[in-house]
Short mmCIF file of all heavy atoms in Angstrom, two decimals:
data_model
loop_
_atom_site.label_atom_id
_atom_site.label_comp_id
_atom_site.label_asym_id
_atom_site.label_seq_id
_atom_site.Cartn_x
_atom_site.Cartn_y
_atom_site.Cartn_z
N ARG A 1289 95.76 113.78 59.74
CA ARG A 1289 95.85 113.36 61.15
C ARG A 1289 97.06 113.97 61.84
O ARG A 1289 96.99 114.37 63.02
CB ARG A 1289 95.90 111.84 61.25
CG ARG A 1289 94.60 111.14 60.84
CD ARG A 1289 94.73 109.64 60.94
NE ARG A 1289 95.77 109.14 60.03
CZ ARG A 1289 96.15 107.87 59.97
NH1 ARG A 1289 95.60 106.98 60.79
NH2 ARG A 1289 97.08 107.48 59.11
N THR A 1290 98.17 114.03 61.12
CA THR A 1290 99.41 114.54 61.73
C THR A 1290 99.27 115.99 62.16
O THR A 1290 99.63 116.36 63.29
CB THR A 1290 100.59 114.41 60.73
OG1 THR A 1290 100.71 113.05 60.32
CG2 THR A 1290 101.89 114.86 61.37
N ILE A 1291 98.73 116.82 61.29
CA ILE A 1291 98.59 118.24 61.62
C ILE A 1291 97.59 118.44 62.76
O ILE A 1291 97.80 119.29 63.64
CB ILE A 1291 98.15 119.05 60.38
CG1 ILE A 1291 99.20 118.93 59.25
CG2 ILE A 1291 97.96 120.52 60.74
CD1 ILE A 1291 100.56 119.45 59.63
N ILE A 1292 96.50 117.66 62.75
CA ILE A 1292 95.54 117.75 63.85
C ILE A 1292 96.21 117.41 65.18
O ILE A 1292 96.04 118.12 66.19
CB ILE A 1292 94.34 116.82 63.61
CG1 ILE A 1292 93.46 117.34 62.46
CG2 ILE A 1292 93.48 116.68 64.88
CD1 ILE A 1292 92.29 116.44 62.13
N LEU A 1293 96.97 116.33 65.21
CA LEU A 1293 97.63 115.92 66.45
C LEU A 1293 98.66 116.94 66.91
O LEU A 1293 98.82 117.17 68.12
CB LEU A 1293 98.29 114.55 66.25
CG LEU A 1293 97.31 113.37 66.08
CD1 LEU A 1293 98.08 112.10 65.74
CD2 LEU A 1293 96.50 113.16 67.36
N ILE A 1294 99.37 117.54 65.96
CA ILE A 1294 100.36 118.56 66.33
C ILE A 1294 99.67 119.77 66.95
O ILE A 1294 100.08 120.29 67.99
CB ILE A 1294 101.18 118.97 65.09
CG1 ILE A 1294 102.13 117.84 64.70
CG2 ILE A 1294 101.98 120.26 65.36
CD1 ILE A 1294 102.83 118.05 63.37
N CYS A 1295 98.60 120.22 66.30
CA CYS A 1295 97.85 121.38 66.81
C CYS A 1295 97.23 121.07 68.17
O CYS A 1295 97.32 121.86 69.12
CB CYS A 1295 96.77 121.76 65.80
SG CYS A 1295 95.97 123.34 66.14
N LEU A 1296 96.61 119.89 68.29
CA LEU A 1296 95.98 119.50 69.54
C LEU A 1296 97.00 119.31 70.64
O LEU A 1296 96.77 119.72 71.80
CB LEU A 1296 95.18 118.21 69.32
CG LEU A 1296 94.44 117.65 70.55
CD1 LEU A 1296 93.44 118.67 71.08
CD2 LEU A 1296 93.74 116.34 70.18
N GLY A 1297 98.13 118.71 70.32
CA GLY A 1297 99.17 118.52 71.32
C GLY A 1297 99.68 119.83 71.88
O GLY A 1297 99.89 119.98 73.08
N SER A 1298 99.89 120.81 71.00
CA SER A 1298 100.34 122.13 71.46
C SER A 1298 99.30 122.79 72.35
O SER A 1298 99.63 123.45 73.34
CB SER A 1298 100.63 123.03 70.25
OG SER A 1298 101.67 122.48 69.46
N THR A 1299 98.02 122.59 72.00
CA THR A 1299 96.94 123.15 72.83
C THR A 1299 96.94 122.52 74.22
O THR A 1299 96.82 123.22 75.23
CB THR A 1299 95.57 122.91 72.15
OG1 THR A 1299 95.55 123.58 70.89
CG2 THR A 1299 94.43 123.42 73.02
N ILE A 1300 97.08 121.20 74.27
CA ILE A 1300 97.07 120.50 75.55
C ILE A 1300 98.22 120.95 76.44
O ILE A 1300 98.04 121.23 77.63
CB ILE A 1300 97.11 118.98 75.33
CG1 ILE A 1300 95.82 118.51 74.65
CG2 ILE A 1300 97.32 118.24 76.65
CD1 ILE A 1300 95.85 117.06 74.19
N TYR A 1301 99.42 121.03 75.86
CA TYR A 1301 100.58 121.45 76.65
C TYR A 1301 100.42 122.89 77.15
O TYR A 1301 100.82 123.23 78.28
CB TYR A 1301 101.86 121.32 75.84
CG TYR A 1301 102.43 119.92 75.84
CD1 TYR A 1301 102.50 119.19 74.66
CD2 TYR A 1301 102.89 119.34 77.01
CE1 TYR A 1301 103.01 117.90 74.65
CE2 TYR A 1301 103.41 118.05 77.01
CZ TYR A 1301 103.47 117.33 75.82
OH TYR A 1301 103.97 116.07 75.83
N THR A 1302 99.83 123.73 76.31
CA THR A 1302 99.60 125.12 76.72
C THR A 1302 98.58 125.19 77.85
O THR A 1302 98.73 125.97 78.80
CB THR A 1302 99.13 125.97 75.53
OG1 THR A 1302 100.08 125.86 74.46
CG2 THR A 1302 98.99 127.43 75.91
N MET A 1303 97.55 124.36 77.76
CA MET A 1303 96.55 124.30 78.82
C MET A 1303 97.18 123.80 80.13
O MET A 1303 96.89 124.31 81.21
CB MET A 1303 95.40 123.38 78.40
CG MET A 1303 94.53 123.94 77.29
SD MET A 1303 93.43 122.67 76.55
CE MET A 1303 92.49 122.14 77.97
N VAL A 1304 98.04 122.81 80.03
CA VAL A 1304 98.71 122.28 81.21
C VAL A 1304 99.59 123.35 81.85
O VAL A 1304 99.61 123.52 83.08
CB VAL A 1304 99.55 121.04 80.84
CG1 VAL A 1304 100.46 120.63 82.00
CG2 VAL A 1304 98.65 119.88 80.44
N SER A 1305 100.32 124.08 81.00
CA SER A 1305 101.22 125.11 81.53
C SER A 1305 100.45 126.22 82.24
O SER A 1305 100.93 126.81 83.21
CB SER A 1305 102.07 125.70 80.40
OG SER A 1305 101.27 126.46 79.51
N ALA A 1306 99.23 126.51 81.74
CA ALA A 1306 98.43 127.57 82.34
C ALA A 1306 97.91 127.18 83.72
O ALA A 1306 97.60 128.03 84.55
CB ALA A 1306 97.27 127.92 81.43
N ASN A 1307 97.80 125.86 83.98
CA ASN A 1307 97.27 125.38 85.25
C ASN A 1307 98.32 124.79 86.17
O ASN A 1307 98.00 124.37 87.29
CB ASN A 1307 96.19 124.32 84.99
CG ASN A 1307 94.95 124.91 84.32
OD1 ASN A 1307 94.07 125.44 84.96
ND2 ASN A 1307 94.91 124.80 82.99
N ALA A 1308 99.57 124.74 85.68
CA ALA A 1308 100.62 124.11 86.47
C ALA A 1308 101.12 125.02 87.58
O ALA A 1308 101.56 124.56 88.63
CB ALA A 1308 101.78 123.69 85.57
N GLY A 1309 101.09 126.33 87.35
CA GLY A 1309 101.60 127.27 88.34
C GLY A 1309 103.11 127.29 88.36
O GLY A 1309 103.79 126.75 87.47
N ASN A 1310 103.67 127.92 89.33
CA ASN A 1310 105.13 128.00 89.51
C ASN A 1310 105.84 128.63 88.32
O ASN A 1310 106.99 128.29 88.01
CB ASN A 1310 105.73 126.61 89.79
CG ASN A 1310 105.16 125.99 91.05
OD1 ASN A 1310 104.92 126.70 92.04
ND2 ASN A 1310 104.91 124.69 91.02
N ASN A 1311 105.14 129.49 87.60
CA ASN A 1311 105.75 130.23 86.48
C ASN A 1311 106.38 129.31 85.44
O ASN A 1311 107.51 129.51 85.00
CB ASN A 1311 106.81 131.22 87.00
CG ASN A 1311 106.20 132.26 87.92
OD1 ASN A 1311 105.12 132.77 87.66
ND2 ASN A 1311 106.91 132.57 89.01
N THR A 1312 105.66 128.27 85.05
CA THR A 1312 106.19 127.31 84.08
C THR A 1312 105.74 127.59 82.66
O THR A 1312 106.10 126.85 81.75
CB THR A 1312 105.77 125.88 84.46
OG1 THR A 1312 104.34 125.80 84.47
CG2 THR A 1312 106.33 125.49 85.82
N ASP A 1313 104.93 128.64 82.47
CA ASP A 1313 104.35 128.90 81.15
C ASP A 1313 105.43 129.02 80.08
O ASP A 1313 105.34 128.41 79.01
CB ASP A 1313 103.52 130.19 81.17
CG ASP A 1313 102.28 130.03 82.04
OD1 ASP A 1313 102.26 129.10 82.86
OD2 ASP A 1313 101.35 130.82 81.88
N ASP A 1314 106.44 129.85 80.35
CA ASP A 1314 107.46 130.10 79.34
C ASP A 1314 108.30 128.88 79.06
O ASP A 1314 108.70 128.62 77.93
CB ASP A 1314 108.34 131.28 79.75
CG ASP A 1314 108.98 131.07 81.12
OD1 ASP A 1314 108.52 130.19 81.86
OD2 ASP A 1314 109.95 131.78 81.42
N ARG A 1315 108.57 128.07 80.08
CA ARG A 1315 109.39 126.88 79.89
C ARG A 1315 108.68 125.84 79.03
O ARG A 1315 109.28 125.24 78.14
CB ARG A 1315 109.77 126.27 81.23
CG ARG A 1315 110.80 127.07 82.03
CD ARG A 1315 111.29 126.31 83.22
NE ARG A 1315 110.19 126.06 84.16
CZ ARG A 1315 110.24 125.15 85.14
NH1 ARG A 1315 111.32 124.41 85.28
NH2 ARG A 1315 109.22 124.98 85.95
N ILE A 1316 107.40 125.61 79.30
CA ILE A 1316 106.65 124.63 78.51
C ILE A 1316 106.50 125.11 77.07
O ILE A 1316 106.63 124.34 76.13
CB ILE A 1316 105.27 124.37 79.15
CG1 ILE A 1316 105.46 123.66 80.50
CG2 ILE A 1316 104.40 123.53 78.23
CD1 ILE A 1316 104.17 123.35 81.22
N ALA A 1317 106.24 126.41 76.89
CA ALA A 1317 106.12 126.96 75.53
C ALA A 1317 107.44 126.78 74.77
O ALA A 1317 107.44 126.41 73.59
CB ALA A 1317 105.75 128.44 75.60
N ALA A 1318 108.56 127.02 75.45
CA ALA A 1318 109.86 126.85 74.80
C ALA A 1318 110.10 125.40 74.42
O ALA A 1318 110.65 125.10 73.35
CB ALA A 1318 110.97 127.35 75.72
N ASN A 1319 109.66 124.47 75.27
CA ASN A 1319 109.84 123.05 74.97
C ASN A 1319 108.94 122.59 73.83
O ASN A 1319 109.31 121.70 73.06
CB ASN A 1319 109.56 122.21 76.22
CG ASN A 1319 110.66 122.33 77.26
OD1 ASN A 1319 111.83 122.48 76.90
ND2 ASN A 1319 110.31 122.27 78.53
N ILE A 1320 107.76 123.20 73.72
CA ILE A 1320 106.90 122.90 72.58
C ILE A 1320 107.60 123.28 71.28
O ILE A 1320 107.63 122.51 70.31
CB ILE A 1320 105.55 123.65 72.69
CG1 ILE A 1320 104.72 123.10 73.86
CG2 ILE A 1320 104.76 123.53 71.38
CD1 ILE A 1320 103.45 123.89 74.12
N ILE A 1321 108.18 124.47 71.26
CA ILE A 1321 108.88 124.95 70.06
C ILE A 1321 110.05 124.04 69.73
O ILE A 1321 110.29 123.68 68.56
CB ILE A 1321 109.36 126.39 70.27
CG1 ILE A 1321 108.16 127.32 70.45
CG2 ILE A 1321 110.21 126.85 69.09
CD1 ILE A 1321 108.52 128.72 70.87
N THR A 1322 110.79 123.61 70.77
CA THR A 1322 111.93 122.71 70.54
C THR A 1322 111.48 121.38 69.98
O THR A 1322 112.05 120.85 69.02
CB THR A 1322 112.69 122.49 71.86
OG1 THR A 1322 113.14 123.74 72.37
CG2 THR A 1322 113.89 121.57 71.63
N GLY A 1323 110.41 120.82 70.56
CA GLY A 1323 109.91 119.53 70.08
C GLY A 1323 109.40 119.59 68.66
O GLY A 1323 109.64 118.68 67.86
N ILE A 1324 108.71 120.68 68.33
CA ILE A 1324 108.20 120.84 66.97
C ILE A 1324 109.36 120.97 65.99
O ILE A 1324 109.29 120.53 64.84
CB ILE A 1324 107.28 122.08 66.90
CG1 ILE A 1324 105.98 121.80 67.64
CG2 ILE A 1324 106.99 122.45 65.46
CD1 ILE A 1324 105.20 120.61 67.11
N GLY A 1325 110.47 121.58 66.46
CA GLY A 1325 111.65 121.68 65.60
C GLY A 1325 112.17 120.33 65.18
O GLY A 1325 112.57 120.12 64.02
N PHE A 1326 112.16 119.36 66.09
CA PHE A 1326 112.60 118.00 65.76
C PHE A 1326 111.67 117.34 64.75
O PHE A 1326 112.11 116.67 63.82
CB PHE A 1326 112.69 117.15 67.03
CG PHE A 1326 113.93 117.40 67.84
CD1 PHE A 1326 113.86 118.09 69.04
CD2 PHE A 1326 115.16 116.93 67.41
CE1 PHE A 1326 115.00 118.32 69.79
CE2 PHE A 1326 116.31 117.15 68.15
CZ PHE A 1326 116.24 117.85 69.35
N ILE A 1327 110.36 117.53 64.95
CA ILE A 1327 109.40 116.95 64.01
C ILE A 1327 109.56 117.57 62.63
O ILE A 1327 109.56 116.88 61.60
CB ILE A 1327 107.96 117.14 64.52
CG1 ILE A 1327 107.77 116.40 65.84
CG2 ILE A 1327 106.95 116.65 63.48
CD1 ILE A 1327 106.40 116.63 66.47
N GLY A 1328 109.70 118.90 62.59
CA GLY A 1328 109.87 119.58 61.31
C GLY A 1328 111.12 119.14 60.59
O GLY A 1328 111.12 118.95 59.36
N ALA A 1329 112.20 118.94 61.33
CA ALA A 1329 113.46 118.49 60.71
C ALA A 1329 113.30 117.11 60.09
O ALA A 1329 113.97 116.78 59.10
CB ALA A 1329 114.58 118.49 61.74
N GLY A 1330 112.40 116.31 60.66
CA GLY A 1330 112.21 114.95 60.14
C GLY A 1330 111.54 114.87 58.80
O GLY A 1330 111.60 113.84 58.13
N VAL A 1331 110.88 115.94 58.37
CA VAL A 1331 110.20 115.92 57.07
C VAL A 1331 110.99 116.64 55.99
O VAL A 1331 110.53 116.75 54.85
CB VAL A 1331 108.78 116.53 57.17
CG1 VAL A 1331 107.94 115.75 58.16
CG2 VAL A 1331 108.85 118.00 57.56
N ILE A 1332 112.18 117.13 56.34
CA ILE A 1332 113.03 117.81 55.36
C ILE A 1332 114.04 116.81 54.81
O ILE A 1332 114.74 116.15 55.57
CB ILE A 1332 113.76 119.01 55.99
CG1 ILE A 1332 112.75 120.04 56.49
CG2 ILE A 1332 114.71 119.66 54.98
CD1 ILE A 1332 113.38 121.20 57.23
N PHE A 1333 114.10 116.69 53.50
CA PHE A 1333 115.00 115.76 52.85
C PHE A 1333 115.94 116.53 51.93
O PHE A 1333 115.52 117.40 51.17
CB PHE A 1333 114.22 114.72 52.04
CG PHE A 1333 113.26 113.92 52.86
CD1 PHE A 1333 111.92 114.30 52.95
CD2 PHE A 1333 113.68 112.81 53.57
CE1 PHE A 1333 111.03 113.58 53.72
CE2 PHE A 1333 112.80 112.08 54.34
CZ PHE A 1333 111.47 112.46 54.41
N LYS A 1334 117.21 116.18 51.99
CA LYS A 1334 118.22 116.86 51.18
C LYS A 1334 119.09 115.84 50.49
O LYS A 1334 119.53 114.86 51.10
CB LYS A 1334 119.09 117.78 52.05
CG LYS A 1334 120.16 118.54 51.26
CD LYS A 1334 120.99 119.41 52.19
CE LYS A 1334 122.00 120.24 51.40
NZ LYS A 1334 122.92 119.40 50.58
N ASP A 1335 119.30 116.04 49.19
CA ASP A 1335 120.29 115.25 48.48
C ASP A 1335 121.36 116.20 47.97
O ASP A 1335 121.48 117.32 48.45
CB ASP A 1335 119.64 114.44 47.34
CG ASP A 1335 118.87 115.33 46.37
OD1 ASP A 1335 119.21 116.52 46.25
OD2 ASP A 1335 117.93 114.84 45.73
N ASN A 1336 122.14 115.74 47.02
CA ASN A 1336 123.28 116.55 46.56
C ASN A 1336 122.87 117.82 45.85
O ASN A 1336 123.64 118.79 45.82
CB ASN A 1336 124.18 115.72 45.64
CG ASN A 1336 124.90 114.61 46.38
OD1 ASN A 1336 125.16 114.74 47.57
ND2 ASN A 1336 125.20 113.52 45.69
N ILE A 1337 121.65 117.86 45.30
CA ILE A 1337 121.29 119.00 44.46
C ILE A 1337 119.95 119.64 44.82
O ILE A 1337 119.59 120.64 44.23
CB ILE A 1337 121.27 118.61 42.96
CG1 ILE A 1337 120.30 117.46 42.72
CG2 ILE A 1337 122.67 118.25 42.49
CD1 ILE A 1337 120.17 117.07 41.28
N SER A 1338 119.21 119.08 45.75
CA SER A 1338 117.91 119.66 46.03
C SER A 1338 117.50 119.43 47.48
O SER A 1338 118.03 118.55 48.16
CB SER A 1338 116.84 119.08 45.09
OG SER A 1338 116.69 117.70 45.31
N ILE A 1339 116.55 120.23 47.93
CA ILE A 1339 115.97 120.12 49.27
C ILE A 1339 114.46 120.10 49.13
O ILE A 1339 113.89 120.89 48.39
CB ILE A 1339 116.39 121.30 50.16
CG1 ILE A 1339 117.92 121.37 50.30
CG2 ILE A 1339 115.75 121.18 51.55
CD1 ILE A 1339 118.40 122.57 51.07
N SER A 1340 113.80 119.19 49.83
CA SER A 1340 112.35 119.12 49.79
C SER A 1340 111.80 119.03 51.22
O SER A 1340 112.48 118.59 52.13
CB SER A 1340 111.88 117.90 48.98
OG SER A 1340 112.34 116.70 49.56
N GLY A 1341 110.56 119.45 51.38
CA GLY A 1341 109.90 119.35 52.67
C GLY A 1341 109.92 120.61 53.51
O GLY A 1341 109.40 120.62 54.64
N LEU A 1342 110.49 121.70 52.98
CA LEU A 1342 110.58 122.92 53.77
C LEU A 1342 109.20 123.51 54.07
O LEU A 1342 108.94 123.97 55.19
CB LEU A 1342 111.45 123.95 53.04
CG LEU A 1342 112.96 123.64 52.97
CD1 LEU A 1342 113.67 124.67 52.10
CD2 LEU A 1342 113.57 123.62 54.36
N THR A 1343 108.32 123.49 53.08
CA THR A 1343 106.98 124.03 53.29
C THR A 1343 106.21 123.20 54.32
O THR A 1343 105.54 123.74 55.20
CB THR A 1343 106.20 124.08 51.97
OG1 THR A 1343 106.89 124.91 51.04
CG2 THR A 1343 104.79 124.64 52.19
N THR A 1344 106.34 121.88 54.23
CA THR A 1344 105.68 121.01 55.20
C THR A 1344 106.19 121.26 56.61
O THR A 1344 105.42 121.30 57.57
CB THR A 1344 105.88 119.53 54.82
OG1 THR A 1344 105.33 119.29 53.52
CG2 THR A 1344 105.21 118.61 55.82
N ALA A 1345 107.49 121.45 56.73
CA ALA A 1345 108.08 121.76 58.05
C ALA A 1345 107.54 123.08 58.58
O ALA A 1345 107.25 123.21 59.78
CB ALA A 1345 109.60 121.80 57.94
#
Side-chain angles (χ1 to χ4, degrees):
R1289 292 179 299 176
T1290 304
I1291 300 299
I1292 289 178
L1293 290 174
I1294 288 171
C1295 190
L1296 180 60
S1298 298
T1299 298
I1300 294 171
Y1301 277 116
T1302 304
M1303 291 166 59
V1304 170
S1305 68
N1307 293 276
N1310 299 322
N1311 298 319
T1312 59
D1313 293 19
D1314 56 343
R1315 288 189 297 164
I1316 293 180
N1319 287 327
I1320 292 174
I1321 296 171
T1322 301
I1324 289 301
F1326 281 107
I1327 297 176
V1331 300
I1332 299 175
F1333 302 95
K1334 181 181 183 302
D1335 56 26
N1336 292 331
I1337 57 177
S1338 64
I1339 301 175
S1340 61
L1342 289 174
T1343 300
T1344 300

